[in-house]
Amino acid sequence: MDRPAFVDAHAHLWDLSRPGYDWLRPPFRDDGGWGSPAAIATTYLLDDYLAETAAWNLAGMVHVEAGAGAAQAMAETRWLQATADARGRPDAVVAFAALDDPDLDRLLDFHVGHRAVRGVRHIVNWHTDPALAYTPRDRTGDPAWQAGYARLARHGLSFDLHCYPRQMPGLAALARRHPDVPVVVDHMGLAIARDPGGWDDWRTGLRAFAALPHAAIKLSGAGFLHRGWTADSVRAPVLEAIDLFGPDRVMIATNFPTDRLFGSLDRTLGAYEAILAGFSADERRAMWGRTADRFYRLGLGL
């Protein structure tokens, strides 16, 4: 079976000789939900990425902000645009922007001044367990954060949503009020199976977003569901996510090099390839590339 054209809807590059990326510098925490990042705490540039994806008919790459830090957001966008200008990749950039930043419009104006930028991400994962929380509180209900979300439309930007399932109903209500801001749920919704009712929370959250025509989802981050994942262990949630959103709103992504914490790139994409084998050729083309091409406005014509 020929492999469809692959648009990697979520990948990262980082140069640890540059400022920022504090999460990739020692001392490393090992008490969080996903373990220590020490194994991926090395510089990872475009040639490294292209070597890893060589067997997968790569047609496009979407770079999502890699935690360089708020102070380095502009520098990261400049660097990525320079890389795109020189090498043709990444094909699109999802930049960092804190939606409750009082100077948000200035930052968004800067980002959209770079032709590769298509959207922004502001990680908002909050949990009552401090080991799982990315932020000290849930800011997604703050009026300032919600106003920032609304301002994405005037800049023509999409939003990559990195949150936990229990936050999704409120966030879906916000997204429903702003249908002119395309939104994509990262990493299959980051289900926390060990929470009481964790899978029910996940289903409720995904259903809320699947009801929005302008929402999509990424098949990535299998290790966030279960560190020791296998194709069999993630088959059911992958198929459930596809059933909820439909192939035309599903994107496959590597999340590399982060997802190397949980397995090789070939193992990761090979698992999705096996799980999706029963879908039609047209449905597989959508999930492997066409959805990301449309959502991120890459103009590849897949």
Side-chain angles (χ1 to χ4, degrees), residues 71-144:
Q72 288 79 37
M74 292 182 177
E76 185 179 57
T77 291
R78 284 194 201 97
W79 173 57
L80 292 167
Q81 185 63 67
T83 302
D85 290 343
R87 304 287 303 278
R89 297 234 155 90
D91 300 74
V93 170
V94 176
F96 172 83
L99 298 189
D100 51 0
D101 185 341
D103 209 13
L104 177 62
D105 281 315
R106 184 179 73 88
L107 178 57
L108 297 181
D109 281 338
F110 172 85
H111 285 320
V112 299
H114 296 75
R115 64 174 180 80
V117 173
R118 299 291 192 275
V120 299
R121 182 169 77 161
H122 186 197
I123 292 178
V124 292
N125 296 61
W126 182 82
H127 196 277
T128 53
D129 181 350
L132 295 175
Y134 286 59
T135 61
R137 61 184 180 82
D138 186 358
R139 66 182 73 195
T140 62
D142 292 352

